[in-house]
Structures are given as C-alpha cells and as structure tokens.
Amino acid sequence: TGANQSSAEVHLRRVVALESELGKFESEVDRLRKLSDAMVNEHHFDSTQLTSRQANLEKMFETLHGEWHRRRSQLLDASRYYN
C-alpha cells in the first residue's frame, strides 16, 4: 500500500487505469473461449490442447483479476486511512 496519502492516490490511479485494460482483456478471453469452443465442437484434431490452454488462460485471468481487486482494496483502505 501507499506510505502516505499522495502515494496511495498515485497507486490507486494506476490501479483504476488497469481496470480498463482488464475489461478489454476480459473481452479477448471471452472471444477466445467462443473460438475454442467452436473448434472443439467441430472436432478439431487438437481439441485436447485447445481445451487445456483455454482453461489455463481463464485460470490465469481469474488470478490476475483477483490480485487487481486485492490491490485496489488495499489502496482504497490506505487512502481512507490518510484522509
């Protein structure tokens, strides 16, 4: 967390900007899921690998989103503490 109010606010602005990027990336993950599902439904020769990679991608995105949420909460708490 930030060591003082201005530091917390700077970090919070960065985390808020990251929220926009996460939204864009979430759209891309959804698009890839649909594409992967369509390929698996068409019996693509590498369906097992497609399914595995898509599951891994979604798991990593969930982890990233969770870390973003945790950091945002910490910075909001720090910002309120210094106010």
Side-chain angles (χ1 to χ4, degrees):
T1 61
N4 57 41
Q5 183 176 356
S6 65
S7 175
E9 289 174 358
V10 167
H11 289 299
L12 188 57
R13 280 195 298 272
R14 290 178 182 160
V15 167
V16 169
L18 183 60
E19 180 178 16
S20 169
E21 293 299 318
L22 282 174
K24 293 175 190 175
F25 191 64
E26 185 173 23
S27 298
E28 185 66 11
V29 170
D30 289 339
R31 184 187 73 78
L32 290 172
R33 180 185 315 112
K34 290 175 186 173
L35 182 60
S36 175
D37 289 346
M39 292 173 76
V40 168
N41 289 337
E42 293 293 322
H43 306 291
H44 187 274
F45 72 92
D46 207 9
S47 295
T48 305
Q49 185 73 357
L50 286 169
T51 303
S52 174
R53 286 190 180 205
Q54 184 64 32
N56 191 31
L57 176 65
E58 290 178 18
K59 181 181 175 189
M60 288 189 297
F61 180 75
E62 285 179 26
T63 300
L64 177 63
H65 191 268
E67 287 297 313
W68 168 82
H69 191 269
R70 182 188 60 78
R71 182 66 174 150
R72 182 175 173 266
S73 295
Q74 286 178 337
L75 289 169
L76 285 172
D77 290 345
S79 182
R80 280 189 288 254
Y81 175 78
Y82 291 116
N83 275 333

